[in-house]
């Protein structure tokens, strides 16, 4: 069983930065793919970024060039978010799985506002 705990959310001004962290526990084979998705009120869920193995990354168009996903020790996942915009406001969830994101954390709130 994989358990995921997110941290690092908060309130930030437009143009600012935040780094989200996800501490994972469980079998490494169940965490080959890890990623972040976000859910904002009234908007569809969006997978922001994902990483397979240690280095195969994929980004949503809305995140590419501003966000960076990376992992260390194969279990800790991060999302560096720069140049944040009000439309980035959402609850961000960490996910993991063997080939698709099957396990999810409880989420951390990110609010971008002046």
């Amino acid at each position: 069983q994989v358990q995921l705990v997110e941290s690092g959310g908060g309130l930030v001004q437009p143009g600012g930065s935040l780094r989200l962290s996800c501490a994972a526990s469980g079998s490494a084979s169940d965490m080959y793919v890890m990623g972040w998705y976000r859910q904002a009120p009234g908007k569809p869920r969006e997978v922001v970024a994902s990483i397979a193995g240690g280095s195969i990354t994929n980004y949503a168009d809305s995140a590419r060039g501003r966000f960076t996903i990376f992992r260390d020790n194969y279990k800790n996942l991060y999302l560096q978010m720069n140049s944040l915009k009000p439309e980035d406001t959402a609850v961000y969830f960490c996910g993991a799985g063997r080939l698709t994101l099957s396990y999810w954390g409880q989420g951390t709130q990110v609010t971008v506002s002046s």
Side-chain angles (χ1 to χ4, degrees), residues 14 54 71 80:
R71 61 196 297 181
Q80 177 67 42

Side-chain angles (χ1 to χ4, degrees), residues 69-106:
I69 187 171
F70 59 100
R71 61 196 297 181
D72 65 24
N73 296 325
Y74 215 79
K75 290 187 177 182
N76 296 323
L77 181 70
Y78 305 92
L79 184 68
Q80 177 67 42
M81 304 187 293
N82 299 327
S83 302
L84 283 161
K85 306 174 181 180
E87 51 263 44
D88 294 318
T89 296
V91 179
Y92 284 71
F93 298 86
C94 170
R98 295 197 175 198
L99 295 178
T100 60
L101 300 178
S102 305
Y103 303 95
W104 298 101
Q106 294 300 306

Side-chain angles (χ1 to χ4, degrees), residues 4 12 20 24 26 29 37 42 55 65 67 69 78 81-82 91 98:
L4 304 166
V12 64
L20 304 183
S29 63
Y37 85 86
S55 59
F67 295 1
I69 187 171
Y78 305 92
M81 304 187 293
N82 299 327
V91 179
R98 295 197 175 198

Side-chain angles (χ1 to χ4, degrees), residues 22-39:
C22 175
S25 61
S27 171
S29 63
D30 286 332
M31 291 183 278
Y32 175 73
V33 178
M34 296 189 77
W36 295 92
Y37 85 86
R38 64 188 180 188
Q39 180 77 65

Side-chain angles (χ1 to χ4, degrees), residues 33-63:
V33 178
M34 296 189 77
W36 295 92
Y37 85 86
R38 64 188 180 188
Q39 180 77 65
K43 295 184 179 180
R45 185 175 70 179
E46 177 184 31
V47 176
V48 174
S50 62
I51 183 167
S55 59
I56 304 171
T57 58
N58 191 41
Y59 294 92
D61 289 343
S62 59

Side-chain angles (χ1 to χ4, degrees), residues 7-13 17-20 81 84 88-92 107-113:
S7 62
L11 173 64
V12 64
Q13 293 186 341
S17 298
L18 278 178
R19 177 176 291 187
L20 304 183
M81 304 187 293
L84 283 161
D88 294 318
T89 296
V91 179
Y92 284 71
T108 185
Q109 176 70 47
V110 172
T111 302
V112 184
S113 175

